[in-house]
Amino acid sequence: MKVGLIGTALAVVLLGACKSEDQPDARMVVMFPDSPPPPADARPATPDAPPPATFSGTISIQDVQILVSNGAGGVIVAPNSGHGGNITVSFTQDGTPVEASMSTAVFPPCNAVLRDITKPAQVVTQSNEGTVAFTISGGTVIPTCSLQAGAYRCIGAAGSAGMIAPTPPGGLGISSFTGTAVAAFGANDVGRALVFGSGTAIPIVGFDATAPTLILQGEVTVAATGSWSTVAGTGLPVAFTSNLAGTKGASPDFLKLGDTVTAAFTPGASSHFTAFTATGVVSNDVAWVLDTASQTALGSGILGATGAVRLGCKTDGGGAACGNGLGTIVAIDTTDTMPTGATDFPAPTKFAGSLTCATLDSGTQQYVEIAKSLIDVLNMGSPKRARISIFRSGFSPQAAGKVNVVAGRGYVKFEGP
């Protein structure tokens, strides 16, 4: 998820426009009759050096629930899906060319961007700036996040081989995992995901110290996993907690109601930022719900909207029902690759789209309004799947406003076949 709260004025950029040969020569120079000619030996002015590259970043931690269609034109939280944690740490160079973009003139603005990833100039390269360590007031433990294979990941344990098997006698809906580096397993892994080198991820629902063993969601048989790691913040919901006997408990909240977040950034040797710590970032203190208009819009489909779309919190006549977050954030990502599952978001083949909108609370307005023209930018890439994230969040600008630290609770809806 990309979240951005700072943007530019209204603009549309279309790259690669053709120049007509019928246009007049653009090299025409206007001379005033009474101006003396320049001296014959005058040297051209030395061009200014290009401005130094600038970098910006996002540090976002969210408790998420997955939305699905309710069959009646609206949406509901996916039954028995539970909560998940979504962490995004991203540091990138500003000013990367795009195929198309648009921003609104309001503050905070909405921004929509479409990139052609087959053009090297438009590929956004993640910069290795340093590490991020989260501290959560409610007790959830997050391993330090660092750049791994091109993306920031918050990895606990890791190993090169392991085994997964359904837990006898079967029918319990769980599996057990044993592998190398098992000494690093612990109770803090519950709520994270076991991620294989292939990218497959399985929720971790329990830990048993006697083996030691991780308990996984679902009855899965994998003869050999190859490389693996336990990762926090993958966005994967955890439906329940469990012991090896299959006794199940409630889904663990990734961020509990009222949690505050501290994010400490430690720069690397070549970082573009100095160290900073964002303290007391408020996530949200109520289990807020979407208003009726938002549920209808998500049920009907955002990409097919015929006008502006409003997404936000049900206020019930006041802002208290939406909690103490500072505002509402909506992030929509699109891919032109056909997904294979209901919650898959495959890597783009050619076009990658992203749209971010935010609003600071004002009276009873706890919603974001997305203009159809911004949605049109995403549709230029013929998306096959959209991932729509809606959060009630607090945020703390850092590094002179170049890095936003965001914490909240919200929902994710996948749209597309």
Side-chain angles (χ1 to χ4, degrees), residues 10-271:
L10 179 64
V12 177
V13 179
L14 295 176
L15 303 181
C18 297
K19 175 184 178 296
S20 171
E21 296 303 325
D22 296 331
Q23 293 177 338
D25 193 331
R27 293 172 294 175
M28 181 177 65
V29 178
V30 177
M31 299 288 291
F32 290 98
D34 56 352
S35 298
D41 60 351
R43 297 178 181 177
T46 302
D48 293 334
T54 61
F55 288 76
S56 59
T58 294
I59 298 173
S60 172
I61 181 168
Q62 313 282 348
D63 183 287
V64 300
Q65 293 178 280
I66 302 296
L67 298 176
V68 295
S69 172
N70 65 1
V75 291
I76 57 173
V77 174
N80 304 315
S81 62
H83 291 254
N86 190 82
I87 294 175
T88 298
V89 177
S90 176
F91 299 100
T92 56
Q93 183 173 332
D94 301 329
T96 304
V98 298
E99 285 296 294
S101 69
M102 176 171 284
S103 297
T104 59
V106 299
F107 180 83
C110 287
N111 304 305
V113 169
L114 184 71
R115 301 183 188 277
D116 183 345
I117 65 168
T118 66
K119 297 179 179 179
Q122 294 188 19
V123 177
V124 179
T125 302
Q126 177 75 283
S127 177
N128 188 3
E129 296 294 325
T131 61
V132 175
F134 290 102
T135 303
I136 314 298
S137 64
T140 298
V141 176
I142 309 297
T144 299
C145 307
S146 61
L147 191 69
Q148 304 285 337
Y152 271 83
R153 294 180 174 88
C154 312
I155 296 176
S160 58
M163 299 287 290
I164 297 178
T167 302
L172 301 178
I174 57 174
S175 303
S176 61
F177 172 77
T178 56
T180 60
V182 292
F185 289 170
N188 289 330
D189 284 307
V190 178
R192 300 175 186 172
L194 180 68
V195 181
F196 306 147
S198 63
T200 299
I202 304 175
I204 300 170
V205 298
F207 166 72
D208 190 289
T210 57
T213 301
L214 292 181
I215 304 166
L216 307 180
Q217 183 174 304
E219 297 186 16
V220 184
T221 301
V222 178
T225 65
S227 63
W228 57 267
S229 57
T230 63
V231 185
T234 62
L236 200 62
V238 180
F240 51 81
T241 56
S242 179
N243 57 23
L244 280 174
T247 304
K248 295 181 174 60
S251 168
D253 285 357
F254 186 73
L255 292 179
K256 298 178 178 63
L257 294 175
D259 270 358
T260 57
V261 174
T262 295
F265 169 74
T266 302
S270 58
S271 178

Side-chain angles (χ1 to χ4, degrees), residues 70 101 109 155 165 168 172 181 196 219 273 281 300 364 368 370 394 406-407 410 416:
N70 65 1
S101 69
I155 296 176
L172 301 178
F196 306 147
E219 297 186 16
F273 305 96
V281 185
S300 300
T364 59
V368 162
I370 306 172
V406 186

